[in-house]
Every structure is written in C-alpha cells, then in structure tokens.
Amino acid sequence: IDLSTLSTLAYLDISGKGLTSLPSLPTSLITLEAGSNSLTSLEISGLTALTTLHVNQNELTDLPDLTGIPLTT
C-alpha cells in the first residue's frame, strides 16, 4: 500500500493489522499508531513532521536513525 501521495494525512492508526512492514508513508504524518503488528523494522526516515510514534507489541530487532524526526512521544 502506498500512502505517500496522501499529502495532508496527519494521523494514521494501523494497529493490529498483522503488518510485517510499514506502507509508504506521507511526509505530512504527525502521529503514527502501529502497535500490535509483526513489524521487525521501521522505515520512517523523511517523516520530519512525526511527533508521536507508537509501535509497542511488535517484533522490532533494531530502531531506525531518528535524526531529524522531532518525536515527543
């Protein structure tokens, strides 16, 4: 799924969808709820508006470089 063309999308809740990877996300995204999936990694580079990221209950093996991403929660 390519959501990157939704240029005004600010909030996305894809929790509990059984995902193993994230879809392509728009840079406008401020909040991403992606808990309770089967994610092993996160590709969130370029999401410079992202302030809230919830990825609990996944199978993450490492965290991405968060440089330039202004996370607050």
Side-chain angles (χ1 to χ4, degrees):
I1 297 172
D2 184 358
L3 303 175
S4 63
T5 58
L6 302 174
S7 62
T8 60
L9 184 66
Y11 177 86
L12 181 63
D13 186 347
I14 51 175
S15 299
K17 303 296 182 202
L19 300 175
T20 57
S21 63
L22 291 176
S24 296
L25 300 170
T27 57
S28 60
L29 204 59
I30 295 171
T31 300
L32 176 59
E33 304 274 354
S36 301
N37 282 294
S38 297
L39 301 173
T40 57
S41 64
L42 297 174
E43 178 50 56
I44 57 171
S45 62
L47 299 183
T48 56
L50 192 66
T51 59
T52 303
L53 175 65
H54 295 148
V55 291
N56 57 309
Q57 297 181 349
N58 276 287
E59 300 173 15
L60 297 172
T61 56
D62 58 53
L63 293 175
D65 179 6
L66 300 175
T67 303
I69 298 176
L71 292 175
T72 57
T73 57

